[in-house]
Amino acid sequence: MRALTVRQPYADAIVWGTKRTENRSRPIPAAHVGTTILIHAAKEPHASGIVASDFTSAAWPDVRGAILGTAVLDSCHQATDDCCAPWGMSDHWHWALRNARPLPRAIPATGALGLWTPSGNVLYDVQVQFWEPTPTAPAGGTA
């Protein structure tokens, strides 16, 4: 299983909210389309200056440096005029996500650029949590 590091507040918006488009400079490697990936929150926030309160729920956890949940890499396309609003950006590849699910507990992990493979211990911790009930969305969010 691969992981994708996303800066906050966007990682929370994927796992807890409605963000189903991730903007990247490259297309998804064909071998990974249709696979489930882990969503990892980077240690540093996004450089855009957007803060969680601008578009997210105050109840979202804002955890950093950890695996937060899973999603399926559904498809990929180059941006066109106003596609994938409100999350899609022009001049980017849009990685379409579906079936985002939070983990019951965040798992500390060091991220990397692009799709990366977590350590065996992290993958084990994720697998154990799949056997536990999925948490409900915090107030103001959707799972």
Side-chain angles (χ1 to χ4, degrees):
M1 181 175 273
R2 299 290 187 147
L4 182 66
T5 298
V6 179
R7 293 186 185 266
Q8 289 289 30
Y10 300 112
D12 276 352
I14 291 169
V15 173
W16 295 106
T18 61
K19 186 174 191 289
R20 296 296 176 261
T21 300
E22 176 59 14
N23 299 289
R24 294 288 159 153
S25 61
R26 298 181 178 100
I28 300 170
H32 299 296
V33 173
T35 65
T36 298
I37 61 167
L38 302 174
I39 302 299
H40 174 265
K43 287 184 180 180
E44 297 297 321
H46 195 273
S48 67
I50 292 174
V51 293
S53 61
D54 288 344
F55 64 91
T56 64
S57 168
W60 292 355
D62 192 27
V63 172
R64 310 219 177 148
I67 304 290
L68 304 181
T70 64
V72 175
L73 284 174
D74 192 46
S75 62
C76 179
H77 62 271
Q78 282 190 293
T80 60
D81 293 336
D82 297 323
C83 76
C84 302
W87 301 106
M89 295 171 55
S90 61
D91 300 324
H92 284 76
W93 285 89
H94 292 175
W95 294 19
L97 305 169
R98 65 178 164 85
N99 296 343
R101 291 178 36 192
L103 290 172
R105 291 176 309 283
I107 300 169
T110 302
L113 293 174
L115 288 170
W116 54 277
T117 303
S119 71
N121 290 340
V122 169
L123 293 174
Y124 175 80
D125 289 346
V126 168
Q127 187 175 22
V128 167
Q129 289 193 43
F130 276 129
W131 293 321
E132 298 176 3
T134 301
T136 57
T142 58

